[in-house]
Amino acid sequence: MENDLDEKLIEILSILTKYDRPVGAKIIADELKKRGYELGERAVRYHLQLLDEKGLTEKVGYHGRVITEKGLEELNKANISYRVGFVFSKILEKMYLSDFPRSVIINRSIVEGDYREVKKLVLKVIDSGFSIGDFINIRRDGDFITVETLCSITFDSYLMKKGVYPMIKYGGIVKFEDYEPVAFEGVIDFSKSSIDPLEAFITRGKTDVLGIIENGEGYLPANFRVIPNIALDRFENIIKQDILNGILSYGEENVLGLSLNEGEVGIVLVGGLSPICPLVEKGYSVKISAATDVVDISNIKTVSVSKRYLKPVKRKGKVKIVSVFSKMLSMIHKVDYCIEDGEGKVLVNRCCIDKKYEEEVLEALNRCYKMGIMVSDRVGFEYKGNNLVVTTICSSTVDGILIRYGVPLIPYCGGILELSKDRFIEIISYDGTSLDPHEIFLNRIDGKSTVLSGVRKAPMVARDRLIQLLKSLNWKGIHKVGKPNNDICGVKVDKSMFGYISFGGMNPFAVLKSRGVPVEVSALHGVVDYSKLTPIEELI
């Protein structure tokens, strides 16, 4: 993409983050070679000049370059296709580098707040057993508090060292009832997301760890791994030793709602970030960095409290978690909107808001409509007691219409689109999550520079027909239709395919959220007759 960095520049920025000092062209060239890029020192200097011109790096005399704040920000946004799966590869890297009990992987969180209260809340979680081991660092760093917890990958690494290789699958949140884990409430595949799943759920406010501790009901971040059943006896012998105790559940069938293939054993691990959750739940400002470093175990302390032993649950799960992709395909078949008649059933998202925010709701709807970042100008708007219930047309409605008119397509991913650079800065594949990506990213966009959007793919032979249908439909919700065999807003498209981008129907709800208005949302809530929806201009 014209506004995005190529992979070599991203790798150089990534290399610079590994050093706490200026780095010269020779070291960068050597590091690039390890990563599969054959660039000599002269070529590296040329690329560094490009980064200097963009303000992403800064030359420090003859010592070399350092990455700037702008460079760090760009590294976290650039080349979305390059970053999807990076979380997964980082996990494998850390598994290789750690060597418990000599070295461990840590999560690092920076907190603003009262030191004593922060420490009290963190230790409360560890005391309740919801951590990997009993290792923790809590220290004052100027005006901030740094909290370092053991990452669950430390246990994965230990298993591998003992001859049991766990396959990394999902991160999610587990529902608890009566102090016991019942089922996953939502999961994200590590290999199909640009964001760490547990970070996404925690920062989205999806956890309630304090609820579990205080009354036995709530939601805990957790990870899901798979091992072959041939290794089950060895695994059970390992966990009997109570090393890094953090297993919530395991089994050979449905494990907390997640199905397994024949010959597999599913393992649910406590999320290493669990001790941080009460801080977010209490409204503290927290910056989370998952699996950030591998450190010598002598650099992390053990807690003075006595960590409760977690006894793994082995019963078969009663529910079955399915991907949002499956839900979308099912819901799409309920769409029967006719372009010629302007009538039929459409899919809607739903939002409940206190009616005292009516003015803010109308302003958000009007603004999103004028910006063209909604699917359609039609909305549902009704009062129910003290609540205002708003429904907007879901972008999957367009998918249903196109399929109905003979265009085969694939809902691919949803995420955050940065409008100024026309690129995605975060995405999650629809087949890699059980929750709608737009629900996950709802509190991360502002409706001005960033908006919720989704990518669909279709065969290039159907491109002209799709464009014709969208023109006849005359809804505002399509951002752009890509060229065959070309990336679209940074997202890779398969050969002989093209992509198109639709704005998310939940953008007005995200705008309200960004303004501090409490919202309860439900993506793909159901179907309604188009004629029952009202044009926004009639509401204003």
Side-chain angles (χ1 to χ4, degrees), residues 206-217:
K206 288 285 189 178
T207 68
D208 184 10
V209 176
L210 286 176
I212 300 171
I213 295 170
E214 293 169 0
N215 57 47
E217 296 188 359

Side-chain angles (χ1 to χ4, degrees), residues 14 74 169 197 199 240 277 301 361 385 400 451 476 501 519:
S14 176
E74 184 66 17
K169 298 292 284 185
E199 279 189 57
K240 284 176 183 177
C277 294
K301 302 173 182 177
V361 172
V451 296
K476 287 189 172 184
I501 293 175
V519 296

Side-chain angles (χ1 to χ4, degrees), residues 173-176 180-187 220 222-224 247-251 253-260 266-270 312-321:
I173 47 170
V174 170
K175 182 179 182 180
F176 271 66
E180 287 200 345
V182 175
F184 273 99
E185 187 74 8
V187 295
L220 182 81
N223 294 296
F224 187 73
I247 305 293
L248 287 176
S249 181
Y250 69 94
E253 296 185 77
N254 180 304
V255 180
L256 300 188
L258 293 175
S259 300
L260 294 158
I267 302 169
V268 182
L269 273 171
V270 171
V313 173
K314 294 183 66 177
R315 64 175 175 268
K316 182 179 177 181
K318 296 181 180 180
V319 300
K320 183 178 180 181
I321 306 297

Side-chain angles (χ1 to χ4, degrees), residues 87-88 91 168-171 188-192 197 223 225:
V87 174
F88 181 76
I91 289 172
I168 311 299
K169 298 292 284 185
Y170 306 110
I188 299 174
D189 190 325
F190 280 100
S191 67
K192 296 182 178 181
N223 294 296
R225 317 299 200 219

